[in-house]
Amino acid sequence: MNTMNKLKNVKYTNLLINNMTEEEIINYQEKLLQKQLKYVYRNSEFYRQKFNEAGALPEDIKSLMDYHKLPIFMNKAIERESQKESHKRFGHPFGMHLCSSPDDIAFTGTTSGTSGSPTFTYTFTKQDLNFLNNYISHMLEYGGVHSGDRLLFSHALGIYATSSILWGIRSHGVLPIDVDVRGGSKMILQYAQMTKPNAAMMTPSLALHLIDKARESGINVGDFGMQSIFTVGEIGIGIPEIKKKIENAYGCRVYDYLGELGFSCDSDDYYGIHCVAPDLCIFPNDIVDPETKKPIQINDGSIGEMIITELNLQALPRIRYATGDMVQVFTNECPGCGFKGKRIKVIGRTDDMLIIKGVNVYPSAIKRLISNFIPNVTGEIRIVLDTPPPRVTPPLRVKIEYGANVDESNLSDIEQRIKKVLHTEARVTPEIIWCAPGTLEKALTKTPLFEKMY
Amino acid sequence: MNTMNKLKNVKYTNLLINNMTEEEIINYQEKLLQKQLKYVYRNSEFYRQKFNEAGALPEDIKSLMDYHKLPIFMNKAIERESQKESHKRFGHPFGMHLCSSPDDIAFTGTTSGTSGSPTFTYTFTKQDLNFLNNYISHMLEYGGVHSGDRLLFSHALGIYATSSILWGIRSHGVLPIDVDVRGGSKMILQYAQMTKPNAAMMTPSLALHLIDKARESGINVGDFGMQSIFTVGEIGIGIPEIKKKIENAYGCRVYDYLGELGFSCDSDDYYGIHCVAPDLCIFPNDIVDPETKKPIQINDGSIGEMIITELNLQALPRIRYATGDMVQVFTNECPGCGFKGKRIKVIGRTDDMLIIKGVNVYPSAIKRLISNFIPNVTGEIRIVLDTPPPRVTPPLRVKIEYGANVDESNLSDIEQRIKKVLHTEARVTPEIIWCAPGTLEKALTKTPLFEKMY
């Protein structure tokens, strides 16, 4: 930890919260929560019904402890049903949990990568957008991106969620150069060269991909002169080798972020997403066991499913929404920047969880642990399943690509070291199947983690 | 003309202009022009140099007549050079003709379908956007789209020009459902079904394409319940058969528009784009001969290259900008709605113009005239060129697809009728080569008009 990193320690977005103790923050969240629960109860048939089913009234919820006793109100499937019903009854797709008039919606975006019909989760009034803009502005400022700067914004635009981030970028006085990824890497590089952006937002996969594509065209991405890159939506820079590769190639810091909820700090090492928005979301003070949905006590390192309860939002606040994302919560002070609030790492999806001899195992955690052995491995793996998850009859079989410059006679030594780490960190002793580099198919978007033999 | 159309006659966007005589409008434009010329002279090296080269000062321009004596300041090629220079000297791509600080740019978009490096023509400050929003709002209101409505916005988004229209849609209180066309027609239809939009913006090609694609999936686009469709960027609904087909299928009125400059009226027949924005652009009071660039006197039906001079804009106003678009200007009162201002029809690109025995012939005009014979023809044509344009040794050879239900024995009769119309309306007597329906390749975007044999 050097002096510069100390200077750039992350703070909460709302400066008042920086003066609060952890207990005061919880108290503040409880006050906002009471207000929000009354609001959603008054303004939506859906939430009124959820409270009725739980045999509770908003007035009954006086603390987070009371709150944790409420059942889960919503998840992706329930959200879809709610949307179907509002479509049929009111001719709008936002769901029965819409709390504002549909006339007051200023922006709608759907979640991106999902299968099935889209959910209009990111639906905001003007007031919502103005509120959310603060968090994006805070992150940009932390990353050294100032009013008057230009930012290469390269996602799949249109109805997708990322587009709402554009409002925050603009409200910060930064000009987005929004090139749809579907235009292809050649076009993205052309716009980067022409507009000389000071920063970029894209997935880590795209940031990596552009390094190679640029090289093929005789371009060095380091010449763009970028100040910072903000990545989203993949584990990506949680893997040290990936963080290092992107930072070295572009000659800048790369930050990981989770919408408006938080971002990683300016440290060489990755210490997770710093949760800067306790006034926007109860998260991460609400994680549950993914199977029983019972609350999990939060200690440093606790793992559970992330439950979203949005405060201060008008249009479509999510309340006790089970995200299906497994996160690990850290409560100690950030070793990188000294941030005193909570941090989280996304460790996978509940749907992907495997159970081996009673132990919960997350494929993405395995992938991350194995990636630490780059360049002895390429980082590409597949978990071979003979029967549908989550239960696996041991041993867990894992295909791993060895690195291009590895002498095969060294494989058994590398194998022992990987097995040891997996045993210690993930409590699993796999059978390793070595594959030649480049033989496991690679996708630019989401590479599958499973090879299904059933 | 029925009573309903009379009620919905188009007005100028700025209500004050509706009370002005044609002479007063010109006077008003001249005042705005004097202010704008001084502004661009003060604020950009580029325009200062153009005035110097012309041996003139902004103060010398007191009337449109004075103005028409100035040479052309700009076209696409000069714009690219200007951009290259600002990129090199100042590290921004907006061009040496940028009149505001790059820090004040709130939006940038490039022109879409062009070849070569993109031009950042659509670059605006916040004030520019607020000003332009009025024109979009006016058009939406004319089309019966009100605050609280939803509008399916299906273009290639990202950096493209159409995205700036989104600002106007939102400022009118309308929620855009912006589905990038690159997501494919299936996705566009899915979002239309889910969100029940009251209106849509897309190219006429896409509107046509969706009719068939919907039918394949058992969907009837008429069930969307749309109120109006606004199309842009193609001749499309200038062809009566295309206008009729779209209106019948969707059960709504379709309007053609040219950015903020104007839109077509609510009449069954197409009477061109009504120029509602004399305070935004000198157009259509400035057309020139495409070869000599000398001003053309504007009478009802005059044809010339459209010169853009933008008034009231701050960031990147175009001044004496030769667009390469050939337009026909109409000065008589609109027979459909009674609009008293000027109207225009886009009739082609200067690059596409052919010269046959000293007569200027526009392929798109030929295509439009032939399309009037649908269903005897499919509407698909190709002009066969043996040598590079513009000069053609007669006869002009035109391939025409006959309609699917046409008995070939009737072709010579149809041919006589087509030849007669082309002779009268386009002053050309072509040789017609009949092709079976579906044999000329069709593209969703821009179908080529020429078949080059050289």
Side-chain angles (χ1 to χ4, degrees), chain A residues 400-430:
Chain A
I400 306 179
E401 279 185 4
Y402 52 88
N405 296 319
V406 170
D407 188 329
E408 290 186 34
S409 64
N410 294 329
L411 286 183
S412 76
D413 170 50
I414 299 168
E415 183 165 326
Q416 287 320 307
R417 282 157 56 208
I418 290 178
K419 278 185 171 171
K420 198 175 156 194
V421 168
L422 289 179
H423 180 74
T424 316
E425 305 276 334
R427 292 193 289 160
V428 63
T429 310

Side-chain angles (χ1 to χ4, degrees), chain A residues 214 266 324:
Chain A
D266 198 33

Side-chain angles (χ1 to χ4, degrees), chain B residues 285-359:
Chain B
N285 286 324
D286 193 7
I287 59 174
V288 300
D289 180 292
E291 299 208 84
T292 66
K293 306 292 176 190
K294 294 281 172 221
I296 287 174
Q297 176 73 34
I298 294 166
N299 301 310
D300 193 48
S302 292
I303 290 179
E305 183 179 0
M306 171 175 150
I307 305 299
I308 290 274
T309 295
E310 285 163 326
L311 307 166
N312 277 316
L313 291 184
Q314 285 186 323
L316 212 54
R318 284 174 283 177
I319 306 291
R320 285 235 102 197
Y321 186 108
T323 60
D325 283 322
M326 291 301 292
V327 295
Q328 185 167 24
V329 182
F330 301 92
T331 59
N332 67 333
E333 185 179 308
C334 173
C337 77
F339 178 67
K340 292 192 170 48
K342 296 194 174 72
R343 288 168 291 115
I344 63 119
K345 284 183 186 173
V346 178
I347 60 170
R349 298 278 308 161
T350 53
D351 322 330
D352 290 347
M353 191 184 75
L354 302 176
I355 303 175
I356 307 166
K357 290 202 264 183
V359 173

Side-chain angles (χ1 to χ4, degrees), chain A residues 52-67:
Chain A
N52 291 346
E53 285 168 13
L57 285 171
E59 290 78 1
D60 300 333
I61 313 300
K62 301 203 191 312
S63 67
L64 279 192
M65 216 181 289
D66 295 337
Y67 184 63

Side-chain angles (χ1 to χ4, degrees), chain A residues 228-277:
Chain A
S228 39
I229 298 175
F230 303 89
T231 64
V232 72
E234 296 168 16
I235 290 175
I237 73 154
I239 298 169
E241 282 301 327
I242 291 185
K243 185 170 187 280
K244 233 177 271 171
K245 189 172 174 191
I246 296 176
E247 292 188 337
N248 288 343
Y250 289 86
C252 74
R253 192 55 95 200
V254 58
Y255 305 95
D256 188 25
Y257 74 103
L258 189 62
E260 285 84 359
L261 298 175
F263 50 87
S264 64
C265 75
D266 198 33
S267 153
D268 282 341
D269 295 319
Y270 179 77
Y271 292 111
I273 286 164
H274 298 45
C275 304
V276 296

